[in-house]
Amino acid sequence: MKKIGFLSFGHWNPSPHSQTRSASDVLHQSIDLAVGAEEIGVDGAYVRVHHFARQLSSPFPLLAAMGARTKTIELGTGVIDMRYENPLYMAEDAGSADLISNSRLQLGVSRGSPEQVVDGFRYFGHVPREGSDASDMGREHTQILLQVLEGEGFAEPSPRPMFANPPGLLRLEPHSPGLRDRIWWGAGSRATAEWAAEQGMNLMSSTLLTEDTGVPFHQLQAEQIQRFRDAWKAAGHERTPRVSVSRSVFPIVNEMDRAYFGRETRSEDSVGFLDGGNARFGKTYAGEIEDLIRDLKEDEAVDAADTLLLTIPNQLGVDYNLHILESIVKDVAPALGWR
């Protein structure tokens, strides 16, 4: 394991028990958390993206603000639902945020997760073409994004432009060199991981898989990672891809930790029903430092990945989440081979 980051779902709720009671709270605290995480040595700050929900939804202004306040930490998404995206406009937004951060963006994209509304992408003006479905549309949007991020010209210039054009076909601006290689696909199955490898995207795998073979979650996910790497090699890509997995990890080092997460010490994998089929959900890791080290060393997917993303309870506030992260990077991660 080379890198550790946090992944915030960006929840907010007007409840008096929440430290993020408004959209303004969660946006400002996300920036503060990225700054604090960088100071304690965390490698990445990632945010979830959901629409029609009391959660973070438009990532690029936030990523740009985080980039302006930090200097070294990677900044990313996990994931952007491509069914909702205009890939050309997204490429411009992403290029701008990446340049502000000096090329630190790591963008996770995917076909999306279960929604708060029925076919929400239609309200954004996106309708699957005849003979295809929303998942196909999300993948098509992704392929367009990947193509325009290459930086090649494709648009015919006006013969009477307002400003002088460079010669040839025009590309989208601003273009951020290298961003194309920092796009990740959030794969929910072994097959979609192989598709991501064929497209030349890095792999982002979360705490659930939309399939179940009866083996423990971490072993199924390790198989997914191996199939991704095999497909990458078969595709003949020159660079080495990155792979991340997400885990919920909560060291119990004081009574507050025990009050919040003591009951999770007995957590196990679970199997449920998602998007019309079986799905396997990974367990939460909570316990004393020694127990966490032992259990995470036995996690085959954590061992196979180069990046571990830690899901955080963002509604508990910046200070408490930095406490969790510091406990992990100080006491747990070094025993797992980090740095």
Side-chain angles (χ1 to χ4, degrees), residues 95-298:
S96 297
D98 195 43
L99 291 171
I100 289 171
S101 72
N102 291 317
S103 301
R104 287 185 281 134
L105 256 59
Q106 303 286 342
L107 294 182
V109 302
S110 192
R111 53 78 67 195
S113 56
E115 302 181 85
Q116 296 296 106
V117 299
V118 177
D119 290 346
F121 47 84
R122 294 179 182 270
Y123 295 98
F124 281 60
H126 301 299
V127 179
R129 57 180 172 79
E130 186 175 354
S132 68
D133 60 20
S135 295
D136 295 328
M137 181 176 67
R139 285 187 280 269
E140 290 164 4
H141 287 179
T142 301
Q143 289 173 315
I144 295 170
L145 173 70
L146 296 175
Q147 182 178 2
V148 298
L149 286 179
E150 295 283 359
E152 300 296 327
F154 62 91
E156 182 179 355
S158 169
R160 294 179 295 278
M162 182 177 296
F163 306 105
N165 283 322
L169 299 176
L170 302 182
R171 69 184 184 186
L172 290 175
E173 300 290 356
H175 172 66
S176 186
L179 180 57
R180 166 62 178 83
D181 290 341
R182 287 178 275 119
I183 305 299
W184 307 57
W185 182 258
S189 68
R190 293 164 295 174
T192 54
E194 291 172 329
W195 179 83
E198 293 165 0
Q199 309 307 310
M201 290 185 283
N202 304 298
L203 175 64
M204 185 174 282
S205 191
S206 72
T207 54
L208 69 90
L209 290 169
T210 55
E211 55 185 343
D212 179 41
T213 64
V215 303
F217 174 80
H218 71 98
Q219 292 181 353
L220 182 60
Q221 193 172 50
E223 181 189 343
Q224 179 197 41
I225 293 170
Q226 187 58 54
R227 286 174 61 161
F228 166 79
R229 289 185 170 135
D230 291 343
W232 184 278
K233 182 178 180 180
H237 303 304
E238 293 183 1
R239 68 180 178 88
T240 301
R242 288 181 60 182
V243 174
S244 75
V245 296
S246 299
R247 293 291 184 270
S248 299
V249 181
F250 302 110
I252 296 178
V253 299
N254 59 35
E255 290 308 309
M256 182 176 291
D257 300 332
R258 195 173 306 280
Y260 281 136
F261 302 110
R263 287 179 294 180
E264 297 293 341
T265 58
R266 297 180 295 276
S267 176
E268 298 289 343
D269 289 358
S270 61
V271 176
F273 197 74
L274 185 68
D275 279 353
N278 288 338
R280 181 165 283 268
F281 300 81
K283 67 178 183 178
T284 294
Y285 290 84
E288 308 289 338
I289 296 296
E290 295 78 9
D291 297 331
L292 291 181
I293 292 172
R294 181 197 64 231
D295 291 346
L296 288 167
K297 279 185 174 181
E298 296 174 355

